[in-house]
Amino acid sequence: MNVAFPKTIFLVVAALISLAVFLDLSYKHPANSQSPTRSWWRNSKGKPALLAIHNATLGFEKILVLNMPERSDKRDAMSLAASLSGFNVNYIDGVYGETIPNKALPMGQEQRKMSNRTIGSWRAHMNAIRTIVEEGLSSALILEDDADWDVRVKTQLEGFARGSRYLLNTQSSVIPHSPYGDGWDVLWVGLCHDSLPTKGDTRIYQIANDPSVPVIDKLHMNNPDMLQPFPSHTRLIHMANEPICTFGYALSRQGALKLMYSLSVKELRGIFDNALMWWCQDHNNDPKCISASPTYFYQHRFAGGPGKSSDIHPDYAFTKGETYNIRWSTRLNIEKLLKGDEDYNDGYPD
């Protein structure tokens, strides 16, 4: 027997379906919400959080790369390396410091205390940070265009995420919005060196038997002795203490808002990486800056004449390509990656 449903029932069902679709789209696209206290991690939707690290943005909403517009060679190399590593990048144009008038500089730099190169570097980093703010991004990883990383970077960052969750006191029963935990400001994953904290939160998360970590006596660090108490091939995840260099660092939206104020609107005390370090050291800011020793991203030295490798140090010249502290350098294994050869060149064999 056929039963004809009243027209009102169809209308109610249609309305409920429309409402469900609207709520689903609203949840998946929360960029309209500009609340600095709420972090959204769209790439993690519907997945176990650590698996999000294997997506096309390493678990962040975007990856931003600082690059001088005329350095098409560095852009080519970065895009190729990122593609072979399974992630996508967006470029932020570098800035010439001489194009920035004195009146546009923050308090503390009115007399142009820094060189034009370091002013340009600061402005490029601030433009990347402003992109996070203006686009309402939940997070972004910011890389310099000569950054290099291990072929195994996605697996490496899973270990880092476990460490950052530990330091952020993430309960095992809780699935955070970010694979790296919730509540962080800066994840300093690409630096020259750091030291272990001696005040505040001094906890350390150890990643033992990490085959991607060179033996201690081969590491290029100012303070390799900090690793001596630990077994070889150990990586330490800890709160940032004296981090130097910004080859790669991630910011949450909340962290970007804080840094836009502290490193531009309010003042600028020195070159960008020092200013970022000082901000992370100032406990009045209640900073949540997490670091790794040794690091995951490092500067690649391009083979070539003066100026080929560095835009800030135009006198640098190298006869062959090299990346410190990265065992299976992506940059130095491009040909093997293209061929599908997994017998990677090891820059730091035991």
Side-chain angles (χ1 to χ4, degrees):
M1 179 175 66
N2 294 327
V3 179
F5 285 88
K7 183 178 180 181
T8 54
I9 294 179
F10 283 109
L11 292 175
V12 170
V13 172
L16 290 173
I17 292 174
S18 299
L19 178 60
V21 170
F22 172 77
L23 291 174
D24 183 62
L25 289 174
S26 298
Y27 185 82
K28 288 180 179 177
H29 300 278
N32 294 330
S33 173
Q34 299 299 314
S35 171
T37 61
R38 188 88 180 255
S39 291
W40 292 95
W41 305 88
R42 293 198 279 272
N43 290 330
S44 300
K45 179 72 172 77
K47 300 178 181 178
L50 283 180
L51 290 183
I53 294 171
H54 291 265
N55 67 17
T57 50
L58 301 179
F60 306 102
E61 189 163 348
K62 278 191 177 182
I63 300 176
L64 306 175
V65 177
L66 308 182
N67 169 257
M68 298 301 291
E70 71 274 15
R71 290 307 302 265
S72 56
D73 57 330
K74 287 191 171 184
R75 184 173 293 205
D76 287 349
M78 171 59 78
S79 293
L80 177 60
S83 180
L84 289 171
S85 299
F87 59 84
N88 303 324
V89 297
N90 295 271
Y91 289 95
I92 301 292
D93 284 347
V95 178
Y96 284 103
E98 54 267 29
T99 66
I100 302 174
N102 286 358
K103 61 185 178 183
L105 295 174
M107 291 289 291
Q109 296 299 324
E110 303 93 329
Q111 303 305 315
R112 222 172 180 86
K113 298 176 183 178
M114 301 191 304
S115 70
N116 280 331
R117 290 193 181 96
T118 53
I119 289 174
S121 173
W122 160 79
R123 187 62 254 172
H125 281 279
M126 293 312 305
N127 288 350
I129 294 171
R130 191 171 66 189
T131 296
I132 299 173
V133 173
E134 290 178 343
E135 295 187 10
L137 301 179
S138 58
S139 67
L141 174 63
I142 300 172
L143 298 175
E144 296 179 349
D145 63 3
D146 52 4
D148 194 5
W149 54 90
D150 197 285
V151 170
R152 300 160 285 187
V153 66
K154 291 186 175 182
T155 301
Q156 288 179 320
L157 289 177
E158 282 192 27
F160 178 80
R162 292 187 180 93
S164 61
R165 288 195 202 189
Y166 164 73
L167 294 171
L168 293 167
N169 300 311
T170 305
Q171 299 298 315
S172 59
S173 59
V174 174
I175 299 178
H177 292 97
S178 163
Y180 302 95
D182 293 333
W184 54 270
D185 295 310
V186 182
L187 302 180
W188 214 314
V189 291
L191 67 163
C192 293
H193 60 87
D194 198 353
S195 61
L196 297 178
T198 56
K199 59 182 180 179
D201 189 346
T202 59
R203 291 176 299 161
I204 300 171
Y205 182 88
Q206 297 182 44
I207 302 176
N209 302 313
D210 184 341
S212 67
V213 176
V215 294
I216 295 173
D217 60 359
K218 292 185 178 181
L219 284 168
H220 289 264
M221 298 171 61
N222 279 11
N223 52 345
D225 289 347
M226 66 180 280
L227 298 174
Q228 289 292 350
F230 305 94
S232 195
H233 304 298
T234 296
R235 197 184 304 270
L236 308 178
I237 313 302
H238 53 89
M239 303 308 290
N241 191 48
E242 297 176 304
I244 290 294
C245 304
T246 49
F247 308 134
Y249 60 98
L251 298 179
S252 65
R253 174 168 168 73
Q254 181 168 308
L257 290 166
K258 293 176 181 179
L259 292 174
M260 178 64 71
Y261 173 69
S262 297
L263 274 60
S264 180
V265 174
K266 180 183 178 182
E267 64 180 353
L268 179 62
R269 295 164 55 194
I271 62 177
F272 179 78
D273 62 342
N274 283 350
L276 183 56
M277 175 186 68
W278 294 328
W279 185 85
C280 285
Q281 291 174 334
D282 187 350
H283 291 274
N284 292 324
N285 299 320
D286 189 26
K288 294 295 186 294
C289 304
I290 299 175
S291 181
S293 300
T295 190
Y296 292 101
F297 294 84
Y298 208 90
Q299 179 185 51
H300 177 68
R301 294 178 168 183
F302 292 89
K308 176 67 175 178
S309 190
S310 175
D311 295 308
I312 294 181
H313 302 286
D315 54 326
Y316 285 8
F318 305 99
T319 57
K320 67 175 183 177
E322 183 179 26
T323 305
Y324 287 164
N325 301 333
I326 306 295
R327 291 197 66 164
W328 292 358
S329 156
T330 297
R331 304 271 192 169
L332 299 176
N333 279 287
I334 292 290
E335 291 187 12
K336 288 183 178 288
L337 289 166
L338 287 169
K339 295 175 181 178
D341 183 355
E342 296 185 357
D343 181 23
Y344 300 118
N345 297 318
D346 189 345
Y348 292 87
D350 292 350

